[in-house]
Amino acid sequence: MLLDIETAPHRVYVWGLYDQNVAINQIEEPGYTLCWSAKWYKSKKMMFSSTKQDGVKAMIQRIYDLMAEADAIVHYNGNKFDIPTLNQEFMQQKLTPPTPSAQIDLYQTAKRRFRLASNKLDFVAQTLGVGKKLPHKGMELWRGCMAGNASDWNTMERYNKQDVRLLERVYTKLIPWIPSHPNHGNYLNRGDSCPNCGGHKMRSEGLRYTQQRQYRRLHCMNCGAWARGAISEKRTRKDGSIIRPLVPL
Ligand SMILES: [Zn+2]
């Protein structure tokens, strides 16, 4: 499941504009989740819920239920933002922790695998040539939604949904680059699937060595990800005796 949320900022009282230290008794209203958008990978249907459309309780319950159906959740910086934000909402709605699933945070992938000028979703999407975020009027849009303005909510919904579409396209491009992608072989129950994309055209390309063992090295002809055999190959001499390389201390 691909997921993105939008949140309202904290409303606080401040005495100045620069370099403020805000105490908790200056918080007028803490930030909260405005809406979320989600879709199942490769499905056409976009799902959306907002405080405006469904109310907080129903909006939070719906994403909680969807998370229970997901094997893996794809997001952008969701490990630090979307998931903890939703957890807080679950806790406030007196729900128990959501069903655990694998997390695929594409922000982590971009940071770890590339050295882009910016790791923002908008920049990464444009670099990959898969589109860009919807432009919006910034803070005014958020103020409008917090005030219940219908036209601003309309924009927010389109913005949120576009982020998920972008997320899906970026995910498709990044599949072979995602470290430790949840293994498709587990879900497909097959021993010949690409761990990253689930494709079955794996070409044997040499060996992968660990300190003591050697494995078949495999290359996915669908997405380009690399994998290795699960079981090490025996290393034998001509007389059939097993070679056991020394391991450095
Ligand atoms: Zn693949």
Side-chain angles (χ1 to χ4, degrees):
M1 180 171 73
L2 301 122
L3 170 69
D4 183 55
I5 70 168
E6 298 300 337
T7 58
H10 307 301
R11 284 202 300 139
V12 300
Y13 289 115
V14 289
W15 299 105
L17 297 179
Y18 176 71
D19 200 16
Q20 294 293 298
N21 206 340
V22 182
I24 54 171
N25 64 6
Q26 289 168 264
I27 302 170
E28 174 71 2
E29 186 194 21
Y32 56 92
T33 306
L34 284 167
C35 55
W36 57 258
S37 185
K39 80 190 286 291
W40 298 107
Y41 186 49
K42 288 182 175 168
S43 147
K44 284 204 175 110
K45 196 179 148 206
M46 184 67 76
M47 299 174 282
F48 175 82
S49 184
S50 68
T51 49
K52 168 89 167 165
Q53 185 186 292
D54 305 314
V56 186
K57 198 177 163 60
M59 173 185 79
I60 295 304
Q61 184 68 51
R62 210 172 135 210
I63 192 63
Y64 183 83
D65 294 342
L66 282 169
M67 281 169 77
E69 288 179 49
D71 292 313
I73 303 175
V74 180
H75 38 59
Y76 209 85
N77 200 27
N79 286 355
K80 287 220 174 108
F81 184 73
D82 303 62
I83 300 298
T85 304
L86 287 175
N87 281 344
Q88 179 205 314
E89 299 281 4
F90 298 151
M91 181 267 291
Q92 286 178 316
Q93 294 297 324
K94 312 237 178 336
L95 293 163
T96 53
T99 310
S101 58
Q103 303 296 314
I104 303 174
D105 190 336
L106 297 180
Y107 172 67
Q108 299 291 337
T109 303
K111 235 176 28 168
R112 196 165 148 189
R113 302 301 309 264
F114 313 125
R115 195 175 163 274
L116 293 158
S118 165
N119 289 321
K120 284 183 187 293
L121 175 62
D122 203 8
F123 187 82
V124 174
Q126 290 183 49
T127 303
L128 290 167
V130 296
K132 56 182 182 179
K133 284 190 170 229
L134 275 189
H136 61 73
K137 53 187 183 179
M139 197 61 202
E140 289 306 305
L141 176 64
W142 267 257
R143 288 176 70 97
C145 289
M146 290 163 84
N149 182 294
S151 133
D152 284 329
W153 264 111
N154 200 336
T155 308
M156 182 64 80
E157 179 170 345
R158 284 191 296 119
Y159 178 78
N160 195 184
K161 287 178 175 177
Q162 171 64 9
D163 272 6
V164 173
R165 258 178 233 115
L166 221 48
L167 188 66
E168 183 173 40
R169 292 187 212 134
V170 168
Y171 171 67
T172 301
K173 293 273 187 191
L174 294 188
I175 282 175
W177 295 96
I178 297 168
S180 311
H181 190 288
N183 194 343
H184 273 276
N186 284 333
Y187 301 98
L188 298 168
N189 225 353
R190 292 176 63 138
D192 62 349
S193 313
C194 168
N196 286 47
C197 77
H200 297 127
K201 270 198 202 149
M202 299 299 286
R203 191 163 75 193
S204 189
E205 287 186 22
L207 295 167
R208 169 72 191 226
Y209 296 96
T210 61
Q211 286 289 19
Q212 209 166 17
R213 294 171 187 277
Q214 62 183 29
Y215 298 86
R216 239 161 19 102
R217 188 172 58 190
L218 300 151
H219 198 186
C220 176
M221 295 295 101
N222 180 42
C223 77
W226 292 89
R228 67 159 172 83
I231 296 164
S232 61
E233 320 263 299
K234 279 215 173 76
R235 307 172 76 172
T236 52
R237 296 185 187 85
K238 276 180 187 161
D239 64 2
S241 62
I242 292 171
I243 302 168
R244 296 201 185 281
L246 295 176
V247 181
L249 270 177

